């Protein structure tokens, strides 16, 4: 992607990665991503905000050169992770007088990760400013979005907030600004779910911290920029709030069909009671979709057979992931089947200590489900409805069958 003008003397000079399909060797990127970098030409000084993933540093260098940039005085490093900092060494080689501007913590990370010499840094305190002549950069420390060293940079005169990962989306697009909010909403929610959700309490504080800033544009370092900042700020307020939805997520796996029969029956029982159900077969899961579902749901019911006396390893993986993502769930239960015995329930329950949830009595049965087992599943569905009601999660009952809700 070539140079694009955000506002006069403010340019997008980063790269769009249409082909990347995996991040951190873990997170699926169905729609690619971008590594955004912004060049700001003040009347006296020039600053580059964030760089790009090292795989795309040639794009950044070409774009900066194309603007006839003779010198870069400052490289603002909002975040030390290599998809934004990885091209810093090359930029510092090309523009040898440039200083790296970052938080004190970020300086330590950049020295460790990229071996940047100490004399290259200027560290900034929360609220400190830096003049480029006719433009002023204000640095806002915003830790844990999603590393401990992160900050935001606010360009006062142009009312642009550069947020790096925060409020961004993994979305490859040729559009500089959001044009299709529904598409960006999905991508931004997936991104929030995968890396921001564990820090939602501090995210709320960071959103509060910027509430009085006059913002015309939010320019993240992944995905398109927002010229309607409330769109993404309101979405984050909703995702990071304590409100949960009347939804049950059922991540499951079945080896010989017994657990699958239970899951299908149980899902129907919940739907009849007016609960939204999202079923995820863990054989070939898109963990991003599962993470997105966990953003809002009140309850998770894990479905697992017993294998090698414990839960299925793919269920273990999903449980570990949910534990790490710390969604705002209220209730968890387990359903599944065993052949001769095992410790599937105890082992799974022990894998989710980070989830501040109430564990509802599991339904774990021997062999294929029989009449009494289906009745037990109906009982669990009733209990979930009652719990949702007690916690005011069910507000409107629509499409409910036989007064079961
Ligand atoms: Fe986009 Fe935390 O790096």
């Amino acid at each position: 992607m070539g140079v694009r003008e955000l506002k006069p003397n403010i340019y997008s000079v980063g790269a769009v990665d249409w082909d990347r399909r995996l991040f951190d060797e873990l997170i699926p990127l169905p729609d690619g991503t971008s590594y955004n970098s912004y060049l700001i030409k003040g009347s006296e000084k020039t600053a580059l905000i964030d760089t790009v993933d090292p795989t795309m540093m040639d794009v950044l260098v070409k774009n900066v050169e194309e603007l006839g940039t003779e010198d870069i005085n400052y490289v603002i490093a909002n975040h030390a992770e290599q998809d934004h900092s990885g091209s810093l060494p090359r930029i510092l080689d090309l523009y040898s007088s440039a200083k790296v501007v970052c938080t004190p913590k970020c300086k330590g990370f950049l020295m460790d990760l990229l071996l940047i010499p100490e004399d290259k840094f200027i560290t900034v305190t929360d609220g400190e400013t830096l003049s480029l002549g006719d433009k002023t950069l204000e640095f806002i420390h915003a830790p844990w979005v999603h590393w401990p060293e992160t900050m935001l940079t606010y360009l006062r005169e142009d009312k642009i907030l550069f947020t790096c990962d925060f409020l961004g989306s993994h979305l490859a697009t040729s559009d500089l600004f959001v044009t299709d909010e529904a598409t960006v909403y999905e991508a931004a929610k997936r991104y929030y779910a995968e890396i921001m959700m564990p820090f939602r309490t501090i995210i709320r504080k960071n959103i509060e911290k910027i509430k009085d800033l006059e913002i015309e544009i939010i320019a993240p370092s992944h995905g398109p920029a927002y010229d309607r900042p409330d769109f993404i700020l309101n979405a984050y307020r909703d995702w990071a709030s304590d409100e949960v939805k009347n939804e049950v997520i059922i991540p499951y796996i079945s080896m010989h069909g017994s657990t699958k029969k239970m899951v299908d029956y149980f899902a129907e029982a919940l739907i009849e009671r007016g609960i939204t159900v999202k079923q995820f077969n863990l054989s070939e899961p898109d963990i991003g979709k599962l993470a997105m579902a966990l953003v809002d749901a009140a309850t998770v019911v894990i479905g697992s057979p017993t294998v090698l006396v414990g839960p299925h390893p793919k269920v273990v993986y999903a449980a570990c992931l949910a534990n790490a993502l710390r969604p705002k769930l209220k209730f968890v239960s387990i359903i599944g089947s065993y052949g001769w015995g095992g410790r599937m329930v105890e082992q799974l329950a022990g894998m989710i200590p980070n989830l501040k949830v109430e564990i509802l009595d599991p339904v774990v049965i021997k062999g294929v489900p029989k009449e009494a087992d289906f009745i037990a599943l109906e009982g669990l569905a009733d209990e979930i409805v009652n719990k949702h009601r007690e916690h005011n999660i069910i507000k409107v009952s629509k499409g409910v069958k036989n007064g079961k809700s």
Side-chain angles (χ1 to χ4, degrees):
M1 190 63 63
V3 174
R4 287 163 303 162
E5 189 182 72
L6 210 65
K7 275 194 168 191
N9 292 320
I10 305 163
Y11 304 95
S12 171
V13 291
V16 175
D17 194 339
W18 298 94
D19 297 331
R20 191 159 180 177
R21 287 292 172 268
L22 201 59
F23 198 82
D24 289 346
E25 299 307 311
L26 171 70
I27 296 167
L29 302 180
D31 303 308
T33 190
S34 66
Y35 317 107
N36 305 341
S37 174
Y38 302 95
L39 191 82
I40 303 173
K41 291 189 169 185
S43 56
E44 292 171 20
K45 306 278 187 190
T46 296
L48 184 70
I49 297 193
D50 294 329
T51 68
V52 299
D53 191 87
T55 55
M56 300 215 128
M57 69 170 85
D58 288 348
V59 177
L60 172 66
V61 169
K62 180 182 110 355
N63 284 344
V64 170
E65 285 175 355
E66 201 174 295
L67 284 166
T69 310
E70 285 174 7
D71 213 357
I72 291 176
N73 305 98
Y74 307 111
V75 184
I76 316 300
N78 282 324
H79 176 30
E81 194 166 6
Q82 291 91 328
D83 52 324
H84 309 290
S85 67
S87 301
L88 249 175
R90 172 97 177 267
I91 293 292
L92 295 177
D93 275 349
L94 291 171
Y95 300 93
S96 56
S97 60
K99 294 284 187 190
V100 180
V101 179
C102 61
T103 64
K105 247 192 195 126
C106 187
K107 171 184 162 184
F109 287 178
L110 291 173
M111 289 174 69
D112 287 340
L113 295 171
L114 298 166
L115 306 178
I116 295 173
E118 186 159 18
D119 63 3
K120 280 287 178 189
F121 288 93
I122 297 172
T123 60
V124 288
T125 55
D126 188 21
E128 196 169 330
T129 58
L130 181 67
S131 174
L132 306 179
D134 59 347
K135 295 186 187 297
T136 313
L137 300 177
E138 178 182 340
F139 305 106
I140 302 164
H141 287 203
W144 294 111
V145 290
H146 60 126
W147 280 15
E149 88 300 1
T150 43
M151 72 173 187
L152 318 176
T153 299
Y154 180 59
L155 178 51
R156 279 184 179 169
E157 291 76 6
D158 294 278
K159 301 182 176 58
I160 303 176
L161 185 65
F162 298 93
T163 57
C164 200
D165 280 343
F166 187 46
L167 310 172
S169 61
H170 280 313
L171 182 65
T173 169
S174 58
D175 297 332
L176 179 58
F177 289 99
V178 172
T179 50
D180 175 357
E181 287 190 345
T183 299
V184 177
Y185 184 92
E186 284 289 296
K189 186 174 186 181
R190 176 184 275 265
Y191 191 64
Y192 167 87
E194 289 163 341
I195 66 164
M196 297 288 168
M197 185 156 61
F199 312 111
R200 67 184 184 89
T201 308
I202 198 153
I203 281 173
R204 290 207 295 257
K205 287 185 187 148
N206 284 324
I207 291 175
E208 183 66 16
K209 192 168 178 179
I210 59 172
K211 78 174 187 328
D212 293 328
L213 283 184
E214 217 179 314
I215 303 171
E216 277 180 16
I217 294 172
I218 288 176
S221 292
H222 293 294
Y226 304 90
D227 52 6
R228 206 171 70 78
D230 273 349
F231 158 64
I232 191 65
L233 288 170
N234 287 338
Y236 260 64
R237 286 186 186 109
D238 175 31
W239 300 333
S241 75
D242 286 331
E243 293 284 311
V244 288
K245 297 201 167 102
N246 183 30
E247 293 178 2
V248 174
I249 309 302
I250 312 178
Y252 76 98
I253 204 157
S254 188
M255 296 192 303
H256 300 292
S258 297
T259 300
K260 169 80 170 139
K261 277 195 183 110
M262 295 178 75
V263 164
D264 288 347
Y265 187 89
F266 181 60
E268 274 306 313
L270 291 168
I271 293 163
E272 282 181 2
R273 288 160 175 79
I275 293 180
T276 298
V277 173
K278 292 180 181 169
Q279 237 173 273
F280 291 90
N281 189 326
L282 297 173
S283 301
E284 289 182 36
D286 174 344
I287 59 163
K289 274 220 177 282
L290 177 57
M292 279 170 78
L294 290 170
V295 169
D296 305 306
T299 300
V300 163
V301 176
I302 301 167
S304 177
T306 301
V307 53
L308 303 174
V309 304
H312 192 285
K314 287 190 171 179
V315 173
V316 169
Y317 174 60
C320 281
L321 186 72
N323 187 57
L325 294 176
R326 297 172 185 246
K328 53 187 174 184
L329 293 167
K330 304 275 187 225
F331 309 101
V332 168
S333 192
I334 298 164
I335 62 176
S337 166
Y338 61 90
W340 58 89
R343 301 187 56 245
M344 191 257 285
V345 167
E346 300 91 304
Q347 288 183 13
L348 267 182
M351 285 169 197
I352 50 172
N354 289 343
L355 304 184
K356 305 297 172 222
V357 292
E358 181 180 342
I359 308 260
L360 306 179
D361 282 346
V363 179
V364 178
I365 65 157
K366 192 166 194 300
V368 293
K370 299 163 233 7
E371 192 54 35
D373 305 321
F374 292 125
I375 291 169
L377 289 171
E378 296 266 353
L380 179 57
D382 282 336
E383 192 179 2
I384 289 170
V385 168
N386 290 336
K387 291 286 181 189
H388 284 200
R389 247 199 218 123
E390 277 168 29
H391 285 73
N392 243 355
I393 298 163
I394 296 181
K395 293 192 176 102
V396 189
S397 292
K398 279 195 243 166
V400 178
K401 195 172 157 186
N402 300 332
K404 278 186 175 166
S405 83

